[in-house]
Amino acid sequence: MTPTLTTLLLLGLSVGPRTRAQAGTLPAPSLWAEPGSVVPWGSTVTIWCQGILEAHEFHLDKDGHPVPWDRQKPLEPGNKAKFSIRYVTEQYAGRYHCSCQSPTGSSEGSDPLELVVTGFHAKPTLSALPNPMVTSGGKVTLQCTSWTGFHRFVLMREGEPRPAWTLDSQRPTSGQFQALFPVGPVTPSARWTFRCHGYFNNTPQLWSYPSDPLELLVSGVSRKPSLLTQQSPVVTPGQRLTLQCRSHVGYDRFALYKEAAHDLPQHLSRQPQAGPSGADFPLGPVNSSHGGRYTCYGGHNLSSEWSAPSDPLDILVTGQLPSTPSLSVQPGPMVASGENVTLLCQSWSFVDTFLLSKEGAADPPLRLRSKYRAGHYQAKFSMNPVTSAQGGTYRCYGSYSTSPHLLSHPSDPLELQVSGSSGEPGPPATDPSSTAGPNRYLYVLIGAAGAFVLLLCLLVVLLVRRRRQGKGRKPGAADPEPQDRGLQDSSGPAAATQEETLYAAVQDAQPEEGVELDQRQDAEDGDPQGTTYAQAAACDAPPDVTYAQLNRLTLRRETSAPHSSQAGEPPAEPSVYAALAIR
């Protein structure tokens, strides 16, 4: 080989590597962003570019710009550079590449980095279908919806720097734009928390605000807790409400979930207390948004799996409908145990469901579909037969099937008093339109009381008369034995002009002459029988007195002209005489 050929060959070997380096044959660097490539407007982000150790400069390029966006010297140990953006705005959104420069030339460009800036449009809504409670190994569909006409929706999973899924939006009959993201199978080995965004095709790096986070709770088969409230499940607006999740299993954390809610389930750590483990979830002041169906879950800190769900608890909020129903009871508010009782709830306004609630009861209210009768809506709640445990104060409410947890104003309270066993079968429940009701019991009670008072008065009158008769008798007098001596009525003409003459037959054991009869009439007694006392006294004889009780209605009465007394003074009153036969 000639010296000239050898020289040319060596020259080609030395020039070749430099030419490939200048053409970008060095390995491409890596490009990433911290804390992530999706950042909120106004936040801080750092872009890193890492290449070979020999690099002495790094270039950051942005699509659409002919010159490098930024240039940075490498940091120790010399193989990467840091590009800081202290306040992110829309001008930083875009696609980036980076490259490194070395004494031997420039490297190839890195893979692109999409820097997305969020917060330029209203946030969408993310929900799970049918709900965010998923059994281990199950699948679920996440629905991202918005009234804004976004072209595409993006689903982000917490802890991952890049979007999980991107789908074109659809517009179903509901009018909202949406995208449905299938997720699963889910396992308790990882957390499943998601958010979604929307954007337009002409600005793919400018996204909306993120939706509220949605966490999928992966439930297992461990023992379910209990969900309860110390108050009634029927609450009024403004009331303070606390839901309690309790379990005899020593769970370290609890979650409260509201059915069909878009909010992330509330999470609480175990609260120290004696007895079962549990957590209290305060809900209040209550408003219409608190109405719904709730369940709770328990879990352990060392596992991402949750327990089986508790039995559901319905919270009902009153005063959300303009109507106010009325409540009545048949046969009456005071009944005996064993009778048939019907509570009637009625409303002039339309409601398709009635609820009956007992004051102080933790049990859910009774529900019945309404029926339209006689111009109003009604429902009959039967207690056949009623027991003493069912006594208490009741109220009824109306609701719509479209919002079953929002109730009307309550009816006036109705107190049902249940006494002991009636001893016989109670009357059947009557139709509420019947006029027979509690009045019949009132009438019977009043009648019995009146009869008792009349009987008592009659006994008092008889006792008073008996005492007065005893006082009218003189000591030592013998009771006469009156006998009828053939009394005859005066029917002659002279009888009409004479004074009343009273005849009576009186027997006396000692016949006397000149017997005088004195008539006494007790004006205070008001005796309708006209009882008259006759006194027989013997002249110039010891004071032996005989009394005779006469009935002026049965004796013949004659009236005569008044006679002057021996003293010549006219009598003050007409005299009444009785003819006495003394033997």
Side-chain angles (χ1 to χ4, degrees):
M1 182 179 295
T2 61
T4 304
L5 183 57
T6 303
T7 302
L8 290 175
L9 181 59
L10 292 174
L11 182 61
L13 290 174
S14 63
V15 173
R18 183 179 296 111
T19 303
R20 288 193 299 272
Q22 291 177 354
T25 57
L26 294 177
S30 301
L31 184 64
W32 72 94
E34 292 181 354
S37 59
V38 180
V39 293
W41 189 90
S43 62
T44 299
V45 65
T46 299
I47 299 176
W48 292 93
C49 184
Q50 184 176 11
I52 60 175
L53 289 174
E54 292 80 7
H56 59 81
E57 188 176 72
F58 289 87
H59 293 178
L60 183 64
D61 299 300
K62 182 182 179 185
D63 286 2
H65 289 264
V67 296
W69 181 265
D70 195 6
R71 301 182 182 186
Q72 291 291 334
K73 295 294 184 180
L75 302 176
E76 295 297 333
N79 64 337
K80 63 180 180 180
K82 176 181 178 182
F83 300 91
S84 298
I85 303 175
R86 299 184 179 277
Y87 193 89
V88 175
T89 61
E90 64 272 17
Q91 66 177 345
Y92 292 100
R95 177 174 294 183
Y96 291 86
H97 303 266
C98 78
S99 60
C100 57
Q101 306 296 320
S102 68
T104 58
S106 299
S107 69
E108 296 180 355
S110 66
D111 292 334
L113 171 68
E114 294 271 359
L115 186 62
V116 175
V117 182
T118 66
F120 288 91
H121 310 288
K123 68 180 180 181
T125 300
L126 183 62
S127 59
L129 302 177
N131 58 68
M133 309 310 305
V134 189
T135 58
S136 180
K139 297 182 179 181
V140 68
T141 298
L142 302 186
Q143 181 186 44
C144 188
T145 60
S146 175
W147 291 104
T148 305
F150 295 123
H151 297 138
R152 295 175 72 82
F153 287 99
V154 179
L155 183 67
M156 300 285 295
R157 181 176 177 182
E158 189 176 276
E160 296 184 358
R162 299 180 179 274
W165 296 274
T166 301
L167 291 176
D168 292 337
S169 69
Q170 301 174 351
R171 191 173 188 180
T173 56
S174 63
Q176 286 186 307
F177 294 86
Q178 70 171 25
L180 301 177
F181 299 93
V183 176
V186 297
T187 61
S189 59
R191 300 196 57 166
W192 301 80
T193 303
F194 297 89
R195 292 178 175 85
C196 74
H197 303 260
Y199 68 87
F200 297 99
N201 288 335
N202 57 338
T203 54
Q205 288 91 26
L206 298 179
W207 292 1
S208 69
Y209 285 97
S211 68
D212 293 332
L214 174 66
E215 181 181 8
L216 301 181
L217 299 184
V218 184
S219 63
V221 294
S222 57
R223 185 175 177 181
K224 66 182 180 182
S226 299
L227 183 62
L228 61 149
T229 174
Q230 296 299 323
Q231 305 104 311
S232 168
V234 180
V235 295
T236 57
Q239 178 181 339
R240 296 283 179 177
L241 176 66
T242 299
L243 301 186
Q244 299 175 332
C245 191
R246 297 286 185 267
S247 177
H248 289 280
V249 179
Y251 293 125
D252 302 310
R253 56 197 178 110
F254 294 88
L256 179 68
Y257 168 69
K258 180 184 176 185
E259 186 177 285
H262 302 304
D263 301 332
L264 181 69
Q266 295 188 39
H267 291 257
L268 285 178
S269 299
R270 174 181 177 177
Q271 298 171 357
Q273 58 184 1
S277 61
D280 294 344
F281 296 89
L283 303 177
V286 170
N287 56 47
S288 59
S289 65
H290 290 96
R293 174 165 291 184
Y294 292 82
T295 52
C296 76
Y297 299 79
H300 298 282
N301 289 332
L302 300 179
S303 172
S304 59
E305 186 176 15
W306 294 87
S307 70
S310 68
D311 293 332
L313 174 64
D314 289 327
I315 298 299
L316 310 173
V317 184
T318 67
Q320 305 305 306
L321 275 65
S323 61
T324 301
S326 62
L327 183 61
S328 59
V329 59
Q330 295 293 335
M334 301 178 64
V335 296
S337 179
E339 290 193 56
N340 295 332
V341 175
T342 299
L343 297 178
L344 176 68
C345 191
Q346 301 181 94
S347 174
W348 293 104
S349 303
F350 168 75
V351 289
D352 50 29
T353 305
F354 284 104
L355 298 91
L356 182 66
S357 173
K358 181 181 177 183
E359 189 174 284
D363 298 330
L366 300 176
R367 289 178 178 263
L368 282 180
R369 299 285 296 179
S370 69
K371 297 180 180 179
Y372 186 75
R373 291 182 180 176
H376 53 258
Y377 298 88
Q378 67 178 27
K380 297 179 181 179
F381 297 88
S382 299
M383 302 178 184
N384 300 331
V386 70
T387 64
S388 58
Q390 292 174 309
T393 302
Y394 290 85
R395 292 176 175 85
C396 77
Y397 307 82
S399 71
Y400 299 140
S401 58
T402 54
S403 52
H405 297 93
L406 303 181
L407 308 184
S408 68
H409 295 279
S411 67
D412 292 333
L414 186 148
E415 184 176 2
L416 180 64
Q417 298 182 11
V418 182
S419 61
S421 176
S422 61
E424 58 184 10
T430 59
D431 188 85
S433 61
S434 173
T435 58
N439 289 337
R440 62 178 182 179
Y441 296 99
L442 183 61
Y443 295 155
V444 172
L445 182 60
I446 293 176
F452 176 76
V453 171
L454 289 176
L455 181 60
L456 184 61
C457 292
L458 182 58
L459 291 175
V460 171
V461 169
L462 294 176
L463 289 174
V464 170
R465 289 185 56 188
R466 188 68 176 174
R467 290 187 60 186
R468 287 179 178 173
Q469 291 177 8
K471 289 181 180 180
R473 302 183 182 187
K474 293 184 178 180
D479 293 336
E481 296 180 3
Q483 292 182 352
D484 191 357
R485 292 298 183 183
L487 300 178
Q488 298 179 356
D489 293 335
S490 294
S491 59
T497 60
Q498 295 178 352
E499 286 188 358
E500 268 189 336
T501 303
L502 195 60
Y503 295 90
V506 179
Q507 283 186 340
D508 198 316
Q510 297 178 359
E512 300 289 344
E513 295 181 357
V515 176
E516 181 181 356
L517 186 64
D518 182 21
Q519 175 185 347
R520 297 181 184 179
Q521 187 170 1
D522 194 348
E524 293 178 0
D525 287 349
D527 188 1
Q529 302 298 326
T531 304
T532 303
Y533 298 91
Q535 179 179 355
C539 296
D540 302 326
D544 189 7
V545 180
T546 300
Y547 294 90
Q549 184 175 355
L550 308 178
N551 191 319
R552 68 169 60 192
L553 294 182
T554 59
L555 301 178
R556 177 169 55 84
R557 305 177 64 181
E558 292 183 357
T559 304
S560 62
H563 297 278
S564 300
S565 66
Q566 293 180 359
E569 296 179 0
E573 296 179 356
S575 300
V576 179
Y577 299 93
L580 304 177
I582 303 176
R583 297 184 295 181

